[in-house]
Amino acid sequence: MTSSEEVGFVPGTGEGQAKVRIIPLGGLEQIGMNITAFEYEDTIVVVDCGLAFPTDDMLGIDLVIPDVTYLERNIDKVKGFVITHGHEDHIGALPYILQKINVPVYGTKLTIALIENKLKEHNLMKNTKRKVVKHGQSITLGAFRVEFIKTNHSIADAAALAIFTPAGVIVHTGDFKVDYTPVFGDAFDLPRFAELGKKGVLALLSDSTNAIRPGFTASERTVGKTFDAVFAEHKNNRIIVATFASNVDRVQQIVYSACKYGRKVVVEGRSMVNVIGTASELGYINIPENTLIDIDQLKNYPDEQTVLITTGSQGEAMAALSRMASGMHRKVTIKPNDVVIMSSHPIPGNEKAVSKVINELAMKGVEVITEDTHVSGHACQEEIKLIYSLLHPRYALPVHGEYRHLVANRSIAMAMGVPKERTLIMSSGNVVELCEDYCKVVDQVQAGGILVDGLGVGDVGNIVLRDRQNLAQNGIIIVVLTLEKYSNQLLAGPDIVSRGFVYVRESEDLMDDAKNIVDNAVADCLDRHVTDWGKIKNIIRDSLSDFLWKRMKRSPMILPIIMEVE
Amino acid sequence: MTSSEEVGFVPGTGEGQAKVRIIPLGGLEQIGMNITAFEYEDTIVVVDCGLAFPTDDMLGIDLVIPDVTYLERNIDKVKGFVITHGHEDHIGALPYILQKINVPVYGTKLTIALIENKLKEHNLMKNTKRKVVKHGQSITLGAFRVEFIKTNHSIADAAALAIFTPAGVIVHTGDFKVDYTPVFGDAFDLPRFAELGKKGVLALLSDSTNAIRPGFTASERTVGKTFDAVFAEHKNNRIIVATFASNVDRVQQIVYSACKYGRKVVVEGRSMVNVIGTASELGYINIPENTLIDIDQLKNYPDEQTVLITTGSQGEAMAALSRMASGMHRKVTIKPNDVVIMSSHPIPGNEKAVSKVINELAMKGVEVITEDTHVSGHACQEEIKLIYSLLHPRYALPVHGEYRHLVANRSIAMAMGVPKERTLIMSSGNVVELCEDYCKVVDQVQAGGILVDGLGVGDVGNIVLRDRQNLAQNGIIIVVLTLEKYSNQLLAGPDIVSRGFVYVRESEDLMDDAKNIVDNAVADCLDRHVTDWGKIKNIIRDSLSDFLWKRMKRSPMILPIIMEVE
């Protein structure tokens, strides 16, 4: 570690300097759930409000939203949500959080439209103020002015934010890449970044997702070339392209290739239909007339004159492509002559699901194309360097990514001349105070994930999850017996019922032996006049548990239930 | 599809020709569980006997072994197991299967030694005949002669098999790569393959794992260069290398680098200690005297003079590296100055677990090196072509890999001149009949996976798994009540107990309402004099289920239990 002397930075006391606070409430311990509060005196502005998808150990959980207790406690200060782009990990928690923190939401046109789709679903349109902001425009929120700056990403209309605070300018990149030849709209507004850099940037919070990858992320247009090549090569096949619903530019390029080769386009999958509908209405995608056909019209065209654009590129079990691959799709039957383009890379954790779909397609004789069919939406090392070189921020606070990615981003910052002491890897809940003189964690507030299961928000916690894990691994054995209230005489049972343990009909011996063990345990308790039901339950649990471990090396959950009859 | 006319192959009737049968009993629908029977009249020889690891939906299952009913029914014909190499997916089921099919096991020296480690654990040494076969040697088993041929793989002593049958020679590559500069022992015996090819090969079963990857797999030695470079660059750090326990050559190279840079070596992790112990005894690894130290001696050496070789490169939760990373290892505490080399690629499905370990290490300040630290043990496309070009088999039957890999291998075979009609992608349970004139599926036998959970083999089936999945997603609600036998009067209950559903203390209202629903359902049944307990249970289940879905959008398992008191 380099000492502060060596790098020439001695933190001062910050006396007389304005101090701003950055409080990440999520997004740092995992991918997703991005939400960061910026605070100065009576002003809090919140950047993004995303959800996270459950990790493997969160059994039965649908999604995870951030704990915003800190915002609730400071509700009077909160001026609004400022959203960088319309991906789930940046907007997905809004319908839940807005019910507690009802403040205006600011974003670019497509971003606000995608948020509105969610608000409609949750019946929140009436009560939520939304404001569309253009790139280059600023909004004033309390003590802050927030400027939206054009960036590129795997969804249209992404923005970086320059937050003008009394302590200085803080730039938050959101998720970004630098695409010099974007499919739609302008390239990254590098000149504005250069301008900000010249005037002085206090801190940069920049996307770290690809910070371990050297080089540059290729332009979205390179994928269009692959599409053209595949369409040119497969003039006698039906073509099916699976990609992310939100990647409007990707869909645009498929439409371009389809038009070029005289094919009709079918859009399939609920989220794909929704996003493309919205993007089309707002002019973010250009679909020539007579190109789009309904899925029911497919049969009216020869296969080689059609292309399907579908969800399911991540192998999601319920998505359209998976249903096609497994023969469960009601309207599309896969044929050996089909060509499927997987236009995405598996997100970590989805590799096996994606392989499963590819294998199922291969079994149906389909050629599956996966090479050069995707580019990332996140900046690689050279792009991150470019941003640091334009902004040369005083402090570097890497965001968006796993811990190793944040570390890699910090290394880039250091290579670009930010002394290590002026870098900070934040944790969720940190209160980071920032001024010319220093940047440090000064406090800690409540932060973390709230589990959403069905309509229940926060009613499933660690104890319930631990029970689910135990049930999942070993199943449950329930022992019921009925005792007479005063005499403690056994009136019925003990009966044994199991679920998820063994297939009872094939394990009759085992279950008979288990029954004997329980019978003896109960008889012994009653003989010894044990009247404490807690004790009786423990004795049943322990004796059955011992027996099953010795016999089977398994530990199902054992649940004794005693009923009482007066 | 090319017609048989075009490719000049018209299958004949096979009249007067000897016919051999190939019966894969596993290994084709998934990675792992490799086992293939070769049959001719009264002779059956079985190649490999591996296990598979459970898929994500096999909750609580420890491992999966093949269903060998076909072998049991033909026990008199079975002459022996011939094993290609000592990986779990080729030997792991032996301790289970040998208990039913007690025939001799043949393999090279290290392979047999690793099998013996398993037999000892299962107390099967006495009853199992083993025979060590050298590369180049043949054994005669009934109507077959089986020759072991030197190959290369990520474990030492791998062999391909040339099975001389009355119908012709069948070559089974096992898992292989072509390494011209192996770390230990000889290179792939390509001359012998050339010789067999000249004489004529009826069929080739070849490893497809990397058949979608172009080019050549790099030599194991290239990893040694990375080790040297990392050791040279980090002379002031302790170095920890995580790799597969069975990759003896990899460990050898770490030891070489350690010696070169004057470091003591600690081997950590149960399987690592076992395999390296065995390999060392047999002379498959050369560890100079005074190099190896016990883990307890670590404290006696400066960090920069030590290297730890450990298990856990796949992020396995209980392996040594994971325990170190999470601070749970009893003897090794990770320090910020440590350097960790991850000398493996994540096996599909393990990506997130590996990332977790890397992130935990990064949080402790450790530099984690993952570039150029691993090479595959499987042949890429150019190597597979080489094998086809040497053997030019009449029939190509790709094995080892997911379906898409088998398809890719078949494409290579076709590119190398095997007509499509003489290729066959087999499924487990297929009975493939083979002679000069044809190669086709003539029958189907029982095959599939048997689930092992603790000591239970096959007592967990689909019903139990479905229950576990349901329990895992939503938990369970148990409703118990006691009725009087003749009057059907309610003596106690209904009581509601839940596990894995909600945190009851925070959901009192919900549980109270649920109790009311059940009370009413039971009261209604008794009022209407419903005496069929099945009906009462159904009514309880349906009413509670409806209530919970409407209120919570959740479907826990609902288990009504009725007790009877006379």
Side-chain angles (χ1 to χ4, degrees):
Chain A
M1 199 184 290
T2 337
S3 79
S4 46
E5 275 79 9
E6 282 172 337
V7 295
F9 176 70
V10 184
T13 60
E15 211 186 299
Q17 295 172 356
K19 293 168 193 71
V20 64
R21 290 179 164 204
I22 303 177
I23 307 159
L25 294 171
L28 290 161
E29 280 69 34
Q30 77 282 69
I31 297 280
M33 213 169 85
N34 296 294
I35 177 168
T36 307
F38 292 79
E39 182 173 354
Y40 178 82
E41 293 182 350
D42 285 343
T43 299
I44 291 179
V45 166
V46 186
V47 172
D48 291 335
C49 186
L51 58 76
F53 293 103
T55 53
D56 291 344
D57 53 347
M58 296 182 185
L59 296 173
I61 298 303
D62 299 317
L63 47 96
V64 187
I65 59 172
D67 181 338
V68 292
T69 304
Y70 181 75
L71 299 181
E72 287 180 86
R73 288 196 184 141
N74 294 279
I75 184 85
D76 292 341
K77 292 186 180 183
V78 184
K79 306 299 177 201
F81 287 101
V82 184
I83 308 297
T84 59
H85 64 282
H87 277 152
E88 288 296 337
D89 52 336
H90 294 256
I91 69 169
L94 273 174
Y96 300 91
I97 304 300
L98 282 172
Q99 295 182 38
K100 298 180 198 169
I101 317 278
N102 185 14
V103 295
V105 181
Y106 302 87
T108 55
K109 192 160 71 172
L110 183 64
T111 305
I112 291 292
L114 293 173
I115 291 170
E116 286 177 349
N117 285 351
K118 287 188 174 295
L119 297 179
K120 281 172 204 156
E121 268 177 40
H122 285 80
N123 209 15
L124 290 170
M125 279 292 271
K126 253 195 183 169
N127 294 318
T128 309
K129 282 192 190 155
R130 296 95 56 192
K131 189 167 182 334
V132 170
V133 185
K134 286 188 184 157
H135 291 118
Q137 278 189 343
S138 289
I139 47 170
T140 299
L141 296 168
F144 298 151
R145 184 164 66 82
V146 182
E147 180 184 332
F148 283 64
I149 302 170
K150 182 78 177 75
T151 59
N152 309 118
H153 187 41
S154 46
I155 186 169
D157 244 9
L161 305 170
I163 305 171
F164 294 82
T165 82
V169 180
I170 300 174
V171 175
H172 190 308
T173 63
D175 286 343
F176 81 98
K177 68 188 280 189
V178 178
D179 195 335
Y180 297 111
T181 57
V183 170
F184 177 88
D186 298 325
F188 198 116
D189 192 353
L190 297 172
R192 182 58 186 146
F193 265 45
E195 226 170 0
L196 290 169
K198 271 203 159 171
K199 288 181 189 158
V201 168
L202 181 66
L204 171 63
L205 284 70
S206 93
D207 180 7
S208 311
T209 311
N210 273 348
I212 57 174
R213 295 201 198 158
F216 259 93
T217 298
S219 170
E220 176 63 29
R221 273 190 201 269
T222 58
V223 182
K225 287 185 186 158
T226 304
F227 290 148
D228 268 358
V230 173
F231 278 64
E233 207 188 318
H234 295 89
K235 287 189 178 147
N236 299 319
N237 310 78
R238 181 167 65 174
I239 295 176
I240 300 171
V241 191
T243 191
F244 297 107
S246 60
N247 199 331
V248 176
D249 293 343
R250 186 69 49 86
V251 174
Q252 176 70 78
Q253 297 194 99
I254 303 166
V255 170
Y256 284 155
S257 295
C259 293
K260 191 166 167 183
Y261 289 91
R263 290 180 186 248
K264 299 291 179 190
V265 173
V266 171
V267 173
E268 175 54 4
R270 200 174 66 96
S271 59
M272 187 66 86
V273 171
N274 285 347
V275 174
I276 299 309
T278 301
S280 187
E281 273 171 39
L282 299 181
Y284 283 82
I285 186 168
N286 166 25
I287 306 184
E289 250 180 278
N290 298 322
T291 301
L292 222 52
I293 60 168
D294 190 83
I295 195 161
D296 293 317
Q297 293 180 267
L298 256 184
K299 56 179 180 302
N300 304 330
Y301 294 88
D303 284 350
E304 66 276 13
Q305 287 172 24
T306 61
V307 54
L308 275 93
I309 308 175
T310 175
T311 54
S313 63
Q314 291 297 312
E316 307 94 322
M318 299 309 294
L321 184 69
S322 306
R323 285 184 282 126
M324 293 177 202
S326 60
M328 306 285 277
H329 196 283
R330 275 189 274 177
K331 298 184 173 177
V332 181
T333 305
I334 292 289
K335 304 171 188 179
N337 202 33
D338 291 341
V339 168
V340 173
I341 303 176
M342 300 293 283
S343 185
S344 80
H345 287 163
I347 293 169
N350 295 346
E351 291 82 357
K352 280 171 103 170
V354 172
S355 291
K356 181 167 177 277
V357 169
I358 295 177
N359 285 323
E360 284 173 343
L361 291 168
M363 282 181 206
K364 291 187 153 54
V366 170
E367 183 184 352
V368 182
I369 296 173
T370 58
E371 293 286 308
D372 303 322
T373 56
H374 181 66
V375 292
S376 172
H378 297 274
C380 287
Q381 290 175 355
E382 294 304 310
E383 289 151 277
I384 297 172
K385 285 182 197 166
L386 173 57
I387 300 308
Y388 276 107
S389 81
L390 290 176
L391 293 177
H392 42 80
R394 187 162 178 81
Y395 299 104
L397 302 145
V399 292
H400 300 343
E402 299 170 18
Y403 196 87
R404 57 187 173 142
H405 303 141
L406 305 180
V407 169
N409 189 318
R410 181 179 61 185
S411 297
I412 296 172
M414 287 157 60
M416 298 302 296
V418 183
K420 186 166 184 179
E421 287 74 4
R422 283 202 240 136
T423 67
L424 180 63
I425 295 186
M426 302 183 287
S427 300
S428 299
N430 280 173
V431 177
V432 176
E433 196 166 85
L434 212 65
C435 58
E436 192 66 18
D437 267 8
Y438 62 78
C439 166
K440 62 185 180 193
V441 177
V442 295
D443 200 0
Q444 188 70 23
V445 300
Q446 186 172 327
I450 308 275
L451 308 183
V452 179
D453 179 0
L455 296 183
V457 177
D459 63 347
V460 171
N462 285 336
I463 296 173
V464 174
L465 284 185
R466 221 176 303 134
D467 280 350
R468 287 187 186 174
Q469 284 153 13
N470 193 357
L471 291 166
Q473 289 299 307
N474 303 289
I476 186 168
I477 296 183
I478 300 138
V479 179
V480 269
L481 53 138
T482 304
L483 296 179
E484 194 171 49
K485 188 167 183 182
Y486 304 105
S487 71
N488 235 30
Q489 198 197 322
L490 183 66
L491 296 180
D495 289 353
I496 294 188
V497 183
S498 81
R499 285 293 183 275
F501 175 56
V502 289
Y503 190 46
V504 175
R505 256 190 250 172
E506 300 206 340
S507 310
E508 275 177 9
D509 285 357
L510 175 75
M511 294 313 278
D512 286 349
D513 292 351
K515 175 85 167 64
N516 280 336
I517 295 285
V518 171
D519 282 347
N520 291 339
V522 171
D524 184 52
C525 285
L526 300 182
D527 285 354
R528 290 192 291 126
H529 302 291
V530 179
T531 51
D532 178 344
W533 285 10
K535 268 191 198 156
I536 298 177
K537 287 180 184 178
N538 280 340
I539 290 168
I540 292 172
R541 197 181 285 121
D542 291 349
S543 51
L544 189 54
S545 172
D546 280 357
F547 164 75
L548 292 173
W549 180 253
K550 275 183 199 141
R551 173 87 164 253
M552 304 288 291
K553 293 277 179 286
R554 291 191 207 168
S555 330
M557 181 183 284
I558 296 172
L559 184 61
I561 301 175
I562 300 178
M563 306 216 67
E564 178 186 69
V565 173
E566 288 204 24
Chain B
M1 201 186 286
T2 336
S3 80
S4 45
E5 277 76 5
E6 282 172 339
V7 296
F9 176 71
V10 185
T13 61
E15 211 185 301
Q17 296 173 358
K19 292 167 195 69
V20 65
R21 290 179 166 205
I22 303 177
I23 306 159
L25 294 171
L28 289 162
E29 280 69 35
Q30 79 280 69
I31 298 281
M33 212 169 87
N34 296 292
I35 176 167
T36 307
F38 292 79
E39 180 172 355
Y40 178 82
E41 291 180 355
D42 285 343
T43 299
I44 291 179
V45 167
V46 187
V47 172
D48 291 333
C49 187
L51 58 77
F53 293 104
T55 53
D56 291 343
D57 53 347
M58 296 181 183
L59 296 173
I61 298 304
D62 298 319
L63 47 97
V64 186
I65 60 172
D67 181 338
V68 293
T69 304
Y70 181 75
L71 299 181
E72 288 179 87
R73 290 198 182 138
N74 292 280
I75 186 85
D76 293 340
K77 294 186 180 184
V78 184
K79 306 299 176 203
F81 288 101
V82 185
I83 309 295
T84 57
H85 64 283
H87 276 152
E88 288 295 337
D89 53 336
H90 294 257
I91 68 170
L94 274 174
Y96 300 91
I97 305 300
L98 282 171
Q99 295 183 39
K100 300 179 196 169
I101 318 278
N102 185 13
V103 296
V105 181
Y106 303 86
T108 55
K109 191 159 71 172
L110 182 64
T111 305
I112 291 291
L114 292 173
I115 292 169
E116 286 176 348
N117 285 351
K118 286 187 178 295
L119 297 179
K120 280 171 206 157
E121 267 177 41
H122 286 80
N123 210 15
L124 290 170
M125 280 292 272
K126 254 195 182 169
N127 294 318
T128 309
K129 283 192 190 153
R130 294 97 52 195
K131 186 163 184 341
V132 170
V133 186
K134 285 187 185 159
H135 291 119
Q137 277 189 344
S138 290
I139 48 172
T140 299
L141 295 168
F144 298 151
R145 183 164 66 82
V146 182
E147 179 183 335
F148 282 63
I149 302 171
K150 182 78 175 76
T151 59
N152 307 116
H153 187 40
S154 46
I155 186 168
D157 243 8
L161 306 170
I163 306 170
F164 294 83
T165 82
V169 181
I170 301 174
V171 175
H172 191 308
T173 64
D175 286 342
F176 81 98
K177 67 189 278 188
V178 178
D179 195 335
Y180 297 111
T181 56
V183 171
F184 177 88
D186 297 325
F188 198 116
D189 191 353
L190 297 171
R192 182 58 185 146
F193 265 45
E195 225 170 1
L196 289 168
K198 271 204 159 172
K199 289 181 189 158
V201 169
L202 181 65
L204 170 62
L205 284 69
S206 93
D207 180 6
S208 311
T209 310
N210 274 347
I212 56 174
R213 293 199 199 162
F216 259 94
T217 298
S219 169
E220 176 63 30
R221 275 191 201 267
T222 59
V223 183
K225 287 186 185 157
T226 302
F227 290 147
D228 268 358
V230 173
F231 278 65
E233 207 186 317
H234 296 87
K235 287 189 176 145
N236 300 317
N237 310 77
R238 180 166 67 175
I239 295 176
I240 300 171
V241 192
T243 193
F244 296 107
S246 60
N247 199 331
V248 177
D249 292 344
R250 187 68 51 86
V251 174
Q252 176 70 80
Q253 297 194 98
I254 303 166
V255 169
Y256 283 155
S257 295
C259 292
K260 193 165 165 184
Y261 289 92
R263 290 180 187 249
K264 299 292 180 190
V265 173
V266 171
V267 174
E268 174 55 3
R270 200 174 67 97
S271 59
M272 187 67 84
V273 171
N274 284 347
V275 174
I276 298 312
T278 301
S280 187
E281 272 171 39
L282 299 181
Y284 283 82
I285 186 168
N286 166 25
I287 305 183
E289 249 181 279
N290 297 322
T291 302
L292 222 51
I293 60 169
D294 191 82
I295 196 161
D296 293 318
Q297 293 179 269
L298 255 185
K299 57 180 179 301
N300 304 330
Y301 296 87
D303 284 349
E304 66 275 12
Q305 287 174 24
T306 62
V307 55
L308 274 95
I309 307 176
T310 174
T311 54
S313 64
Q314 292 296 313
E316 308 94 321
M318 299 310 295
L321 184 68
S322 306
R323 284 185 283 124
M324 292 176 203
S326 60
M328 307 285 279
H329 196 284
R330 274 189 277 177
K331 295 184 174 175
V332 181
T333 305
I334 293 289
K335 304 171 189 179
N337 201 35
D338 290 343
V339 168
V340 173
I341 302 176
M342 299 295 282
S343 185
S344 80
H345 286 164
I347 293 170
N350 294 347
E351 291 83 357
K352 280 172 102 171
V354 172
S355 290
K356 182 167 175 280
V357 170
I358 295 177
N359 284 322
E360 284 172 343
L361 291 168
M363 282 181 206
K364 291 186 154 54
V366 170
E367 182 184 352
V368 182
I369 297 172
T370 58
E371 294 286 308
D372 304 322
T373 55
H374 181 66
V375 293
S376 172
H378 298 275
C380 287
Q381 290 176 355
E382 294 305 311
E383 289 151 277
I384 296 172
K385 285 183 197 168
L386 172 58
I387 299 311
Y388 276 108
S389 82
L390 290 175
L391 294 177
H392 42 82
R394 188 163 178 82
Y395 300 103
L397 302 147
V399 292
H400 301 342
E402 299 170 19
Y403 196 88
R404 57 185 172 145
H405 303 141
L406 305 180
V407 170
N409 189 319
R410 181 180 60 184
S411 297
I412 296 171
M414 287 158 59
M416 297 303 296
V418 183
K420 184 166 185 179
E421 288 72 5
R422 283 203 239 134
T423 68
L424 181 63
I425 295 186
M426 302 184 285
S427 300
S428 298
N430 281 171
V431 177
V432 176
E433 196 167 85
L434 213 65
C435 60
E436 192 66 16
D437 267 6
Y438 63 78
C439 166
K440 62 185 180 193
V441 177
V442 296
D443 200 0
Q444 189 69 23
V445 300
Q446 186 172 328
I450 308 273
L451 308 184
V452 179
D453 179 1
L455 296 183
V457 178
D459 64 347
V460 172
N462 285 336
I463 297 173
V464 174
L465 284 186
R466 221 176 304 136
D467 280 350
R468 286 186 185 176
Q469 283 153 15
N470 193 357
L471 291 167
Q473 288 299 308
N474 304 288
I476 187 169
I477 296 183
I478 300 139
V479 179
V480 271
L481 53 140
T482 305
L483 296 179
E484 195 171 50
K485 189 167 183 184
Y486 302 105
S487 70
N488 232 32
Q489 199 198 322
L490 183 66
L491 297 178
D495 290 353
I496 294 188
V497 183
S498 82
R499 285 293 182 275
F501 175 57
V502 288
Y503 189 47
V504 175
R505 256 190 250 172
E506 301 206 340
S507 310
E508 276 178 8
D509 285 356
L510 174 75
M511 295 312 280
D512 285 350
D513 292 349
K515 174 86 166 64
N516 280 335
I517 295 286
V518 172
D519 282 347
N520 292 337
V522 172
D524 184 53
C525 284
L526 300 182
D527 285 353
R528 290 191 291 125
H529 302 289
V530 179
T531 51
D532 177 342
W533 286 9
K535 268 192 198 156
I536 298 177
K537 286 181 184 178
N538 279 341
I539 290 168
I540 292 172
R541 197 181 286 121
D542 292 348
S543 51
L544 188 53
S545 173
D546 281 356
F547 165 74
L548 292 173
W549 179 252
K550 276 184 197 140
R551 174 88 163 252
M552 303 289 292
K553 293 276 180 286
R554 292 191 205 166
S555 332
M557 181 184 285
I558 295 171
L559 184 61
I561 302 175
I562 301 177
M563 306 217 67
E564 180 185 67
V565 173
E566 288 202 25

